[in-house]
Amino acid sequence: MKKLVIFVVLTLLFAMTSCTPGLNISVEEDGEINYSFSATLKDVVADTVRSFTGVPESVNLFNDQQIQDSLTESGLQNVSVALPDLLSVKISGSINASSKKDLQVEDRLPTVPGAIILASEKQAANDIKTLELSLSKKVVNQVLESLPVETVEYVDLLSAPIFTGEEISSLEYVELIGAIYGATVAKALEESFVEINVSVPSNVRKAEALFSNCNTNISGKSVEFVMPLADFLTQNQEVSFVVQY
C-alpha cells in the first residue's frame, strides 16, 4: 500500500498545533535518509476532532501501531512511533542507502513517485548532489487515496482546497474554517506554520523553495523552510524544496 504518512499526512493531521509541526530530514554521506516528525494538537482542535469523530477523551486520537505499519509497508526502515500523551506524536525512521551507486537521478520512494528525488552530477572536480522533496497537490492526493479510512476522516475535517480542488485564497479558507469550527480554531490555523528542516553531509551550496510564500534559511550543512499552513493547504501550484550540496 502506498503510504507516505510522515512527509505529508501527519503535517495535515496536526494542522493547528500548539507549536510549529516539524519535519526533520537528514541525508547521510552514503545516501541514507533519516527523518523525524513531532507535533502536539491544541486542546481546541482536539476537542473539535473528538466532537466530529466520536473518539472519547480518554483515547489517543492517533493509533501508533497503524502509523508504524503504514510507514513500514511504504518501504521505510527502522520506524519508531511514540505517543507521549493523548494529543502528541513523535516519529522517526529511515530510507536505506541505495545499492545503485551509478545512478544520476533516483526516486528514493518509488511507492510515491516524485516525492523524494536524489540526484548527482559532476561539475568540474566536484560531485554535486541535489535533494528534492515534493509536497505538491499531486503527491498529497496520491498519498490520500491509499490511507486508512480513519485517517481520511481526520483529513476531511480540514475541508482543505488541496484535497477538494476548490480554488480559494488562504484568507477565504481561514474564514471557511471559522464558519465551520469557530473563531478560535480559525485563529489557530491562521497562526500555524509548517517547518521543514533538512541537513546534508556537506555545506549547502543552494536551497530553494518552489513555493511563493516560504522563508528559506541556510546555515552551513542545514536548511530551514517555513511556510504558513493556510497557504500550503490552499496551494494551486507545484510545491517542492530543493537542496544542493
Side-chain angles (χ1 to χ4, degrees):
M1 297 177 68
K2 299 177 181 177
K3 298 174 181 178
L4 183 58
V5 182
I6 183 62
F7 294 112
V8 182
V9 177
L10 287 177
T11 301
L12 306 180
L13 296 183
F14 287 90
M16 286 73 81
T17 54
S18 58
C19 57
T20 300
L23 172 61
N24 303 303
I25 298 174
S26 174
V27 183
E28 305 301 323
E29 186 67 46
D30 63 358
E32 178 179 313
I33 298 175
N34 297 303
Y35 64 84
S36 64
F37 177 88
S38 63
T40 300
L41 280 174
K42 282 185 175 179
D43 289 338
V44 63
V45 178
D47 291 343
T48 300
V49 172
R50 292 189 190 281
S51 68
F52 275 81
T53 61
V55 177
E57 290 187 5
S58 59
V59 177
N60 200 298
L61 285 175
F62 302 95
N63 186 309
D64 55 346
Q65 190 61 55
Q66 184 183 75
I67 293 172
Q68 181 161 339
D69 290 346
S70 296
L71 293 172
T72 301
E73 288 172 14
S74 74
L76 304 177
Q77 293 83 39
N78 305 314
V79 178
S80 173
V81 181
L83 305 176
D85 53 55
L86 296 179
L87 306 181
S88 302
V89 65
K90 293 183 177 181
I91 301 171
S92 63
S94 62
I95 301 173
N96 285 344
S98 174
S99 59
K100 303 173 183 178
K101 303 300 182 183
D102 56 340
L103 283 184
Q104 292 183 317
V105 179
E106 183 178 11
D107 206 329
R108 293 305 311 276
L109 199 66
T111 53
V112 185
I116 308 172
I117 295 176
L118 192 60
S120 62
E121 62 176 317
K122 280 279 190 182
Q123 289 186 7
N126 299 316
D127 290 320
I128 308 299
K129 295 185 178 180
T130 303
L131 172 72
E132 180 172 355
L133 170 66
S134 174
L135 293 181
S136 67
K137 183 180 295 187
K138 179 180 178 180
V139 168
V140 171
N141 280 281
Q142 189 175 10
V143 172
L144 186 64
E145 289 175 359
S146 62
L147 290 176
V149 174
E150 298 84 354
T151 302
V152 175
E153 288 177 350
Y154 288 169
V155 174
D156 285 345
L157 292 176
L158 297 174
S159 300
I162 192 173
F163 302 124
T164 65
E166 186 178 4
E167 293 190 10
I168 61 175
S169 68
S170 58
L171 177 59
E172 290 172 324
Y173 176 55
V174 171
E175 292 175 347
L176 172 64
I177 290 298
I180 298 173
Y181 302 116
T184 303
V185 175
K187 183 175 177 58
L189 170 60
E190 191 174 25
E191 296 176 348
S192 293
F193 291 81
V194 177
E195 181 179 299
I196 300 174
N197 297 291
V198 178
S199 62
V200 291
S202 58
N203 285 337
V204 175
R205 292 172 175 267
K206 182 173 66 174
E208 180 182 15
L210 304 182
F211 189 74
S212 58
N213 193 11
C214 181
N215 290 326
T216 302
N217 302 303
I218 300 174
S219 178
K221 300 178 181 180
S222 301
V223 184
E224 176 189 65
F225 299 102
V226 181
M227 58 185 171
L229 179 64
D231 285 1
F232 174 72
L233 293 177
T234 56
Q235 61 169 286
N236 56 11
Q237 62 188 95
E238 289 297 310
V239 177
S240 60
F241 308 91
V242 181
V243 179
Q244 187 183 84
Y245 60 98

XYZ file of all heavy atoms in Angstrom, residues 194 208-216 224-228 231 241:
136
model
N 4.159 25.434 8.771
C 4.796 24.147 8.517
C 6.298 24.387 8.437
O 6.745 25.267 7.700
C 4.298 23.522 7.203
C 5.044 22.219 6.918
C 2.798 23.263 7.258
N 16.310 26.158 -2.328
C 15.212 26.903 -2.930
C 13.893 26.232 -2.613
O 13.760 25.003 -2.685
C 15.403 26.962 -4.448
C 14.314 27.708 -5.174
C 14.522 27.709 -6.683
O 15.341 26.892 -7.160
O 13.871 28.514 -7.367
N 12.913 27.029 -2.225
C 11.551 26.551 -2.036
C 10.731 26.967 -3.232
O 10.612 28.162 -3.514
C 10.953 27.120 -0.753
N 10.208 25.997 -3.967
C 9.364 26.325 -5.111
C 7.938 26.529 -4.614
O 7.019 25.753 -4.883
C 9.442 25.199 -6.152
C 10.854 24.875 -6.640
C 10.818 23.793 -7.699
C 11.544 26.124 -7.175
N 7.786 27.591 -3.847
C 6.514 27.950 -3.231
C 6.598 29.437 -2.931
O 7.596 29.911 -2.374
C 6.317 27.145 -1.936
C 4.948 27.277 -1.330
C 3.860 26.633 -1.903
C 4.747 28.035 -0.189
C 2.600 26.738 -1.337
C 3.490 28.141 0.381
C 2.408 27.495 -0.193
N 5.589 30.192 -3.309
C 5.703 31.650 -3.306
C 5.846 32.278 -1.926
O 6.457 33.333 -1.788
C 4.496 32.266 -4.017
O 3.287 31.867 -3.394
N 5.315 31.652 -0.898
C 5.349 32.265 0.433
C 6.043 31.346 1.421
O 5.411 30.764 2.305
C 3.935 32.591 0.906
C 3.927 33.497 2.127
O 4.962 34.051 2.512
N 2.774 33.643 2.751
N 7.354 31.223 1.257
C 8.130 30.332 2.119
C 9.474 30.988 2.436
O 10.170 31.470 1.537
C 8.365 28.992 1.430
S 9.284 27.799 2.420
N 9.819 31.018 3.701
C 11.123 31.541 4.120
C 12.149 30.420 4.099
O 11.900 29.327 4.617
C 11.038 32.130 5.531
C 10.232 33.415 5.561
O 10.240 34.196 4.616
N 9.515 33.637 6.659
N 13.305 30.700 3.515
C 14.385 29.720 3.418
C 15.613 30.263 4.134
O 16.101 31.336 3.807
C 14.734 29.439 1.946
O 13.568 28.970 1.268
C 15.839 28.394 1.843
N 16.433 25.492 6.640
C 15.120 25.527 7.269
C 14.136 26.184 6.304
O 14.375 27.279 5.807
C 15.180 26.330 8.571
C 13.826 26.499 9.251
C 13.887 27.475 10.410
O 14.145 28.678 10.154
O 13.695 27.043 11.560
N 13.028 25.488 6.042
C 11.940 26.036 5.226
C 10.730 26.238 6.137
O 10.327 25.316 6.852
C 11.549 25.068 4.105
C 12.657 24.752 3.133
C 13.349 23.553 3.220
C 12.999 25.643 2.122
C 14.353 23.234 2.318
C 14.011 25.341 1.213
C 14.688 24.145 1.314
N 10.147 27.421 6.097
C 8.974 27.709 6.931
C 7.913 28.388 6.073
O 8.193 29.385 5.405
C 9.326 28.623 8.123
C 8.087 28.870 8.981
C 10.440 28.015 8.964
N 6.701 27.838 6.103
C 5.617 28.433 5.321
C 4.314 28.380 6.091
O 4.092 27.473 6.907
C 5.456 27.699 3.988
C 5.184 26.216 4.120
S 5.147 25.403 2.511
C 5.098 23.668 3.018
N 3.416 29.349 5.871
C 2.116 29.356 6.550
C 1.303 28.129 6.160
O 1.225 27.768 4.980
C 1.455 30.639 6.033
C 2.592 31.499 5.575
C 3.604 30.541 5.024
N -1.559 28.751 3.640
C -1.085 28.882 2.263
C -0.827 27.515 1.645
O -1.144 27.267 0.479
C 0.198 29.714 2.214
C -0.071 31.197 2.407
O -1.249 31.566 2.592
O 0.890 31.985 2.396
N 10.889 21.422 -2.414
C 12.001 22.031 -1.688
C 13.279 21.384 -2.216
O 13.422 20.164 -2.196
C 11.837 21.812 -0.199
C 10.482 22.242 0.308
C 9.435 21.355 0.352
C 10.264 23.558 0.709
C 8.172 21.749 0.782
C 9.015 23.962 1.147
C 7.965 23.057 1.177
